[in-house]
Amino acid sequence: MNKLEKVSLFVLLRAFDRFGNMLNTMNIGAPKEATSFISKLWDFLATDNSKLSTRAINRAISSAVVDEQDANDDEVVRNLYFYALSDLLVFFTEGTSDSLGAAESSIIDAYNYIAGQKYLLEKKGGKAVILSDEEEEEIMKDPICSDEIYSLRSDRAFAEGIVDWGRALEFR
């Protein structure tokens, strides 16, 4: 992996750790297979090991994602976690760096969804609505979303200064 890919992976791993913690605080629970795989990715980043199997996590994602037509909010949020993880896995299966950016966008989308659900419940009484541009901006400014965007930027700035990637686990 080149330096830019390592920086992006570092940012994503920090984001997945935060996302998993958020799932736990929401009593949704981060899937064990996913958190175990994230730990393997941290080791991968630190050792620059070229061998990483994604078969088991791909199977776990396929069996855990639920149809969103009948899903409750918790299941949708959990699906969003898996979608972001799937975007990240594309990097390891196809080697395309664009998938790292897609995974970051998917994480922001997940936080946007969570903030949007909160907004709809608190400001719109849970009714279905079409949001104005101003309302969408307000959702993006919600700390749920804005704090994650700030963390992603901060992690990127920090990761760009990492020289010894063998120490990456120290920054987890």
Side-chain angles (χ1 to χ4, degrees):
M1 285 190 340
N2 65 40
K3 170 87 173 178
L4 289 176
E5 291 168 340
K6 287 180 180 184
V7 166
S8 292
L9 182 57
F10 179 88
V11 169
L12 286 168
L13 293 178
R14 298 261 307 180
F16 275 107
D17 282 348
R18 283 189 300 273
F19 200 166
N21 289 336
M22 183 183 62
L23 290 176
N24 289 333
T25 62
M26 295 173 72
N27 294 319
I28 296 173
K32 289 180 185 175
E33 301 92 341
T35 55
S36 174
F37 186 73
I38 295 297
S39 292
K40 288 178 185 173
L41 289 177
W42 274 106
D43 291 337
F44 175 86
L45 179 64
T47 61
D48 207 11
N49 183 352
S50 61
K51 295 182 182 182
L52 181 71
S53 174
T54 60
R55 212 168 311 141
I57 189 62
N58 278 321
R59 277 195 307 266
I61 291 171
S62 293
S63 67
V65 170
V66 298
D67 180 2
E68 290 185 11
Q69 291 289 87
D70 301 318
N72 63 34
D73 279 341
D74 290 353
E75 291 169 324
V76 171
V77 171
R78 203 173 158 146
N79 275 359
L80 293 170
Y81 178 92
F82 286 128
Y83 298 156
L85 188 54
S86 292
D87 287 339
L88 174 58
L89 291 175
V90 171
F91 173 74
F92 294 99
T93 58
E94 297 178 15
T96 56
S97 296
D98 292 344
S99 61
L100 297 172
E104 193 171 320
S105 292
S106 291
I107 288 172
I108 293 169
D109 289 346
Y111 281 88
N112 189 11
Y113 173 82
I114 295 165
Q117 292 302 103
K118 177 183 159 206
Y119 180 87
L120 290 175
L121 186 62
E122 292 175 358
K123 305 271 181 163
K124 301 293 183 176
K127 297 177 185 172
V129 297
I130 296 175
L131 297 172
S132 68
D133 290 343
E134 292 81 20
E135 289 171 318
E136 287 186 23
E137 262 185 57
E138 188 175 340
I139 290 169
M140 288 300 287
K141 290 179 182 175
D142 184 290
I144 291 171
C145 224
S146 63
D147 287 358
E148 181 59 22
I149 292 169
Y150 176 80
S151 293
L152 290 166
R153 288 181 186 144
S154 297
D155 289 343
R156 182 167 311 286
F158 178 80
E160 287 172 349
I162 296 175
V163 177
D164 181 4
W165 286 96
R167 297 184 55 213
L169 288 172
E170 294 176 30
F171 310 119
R172 185 170 186 188

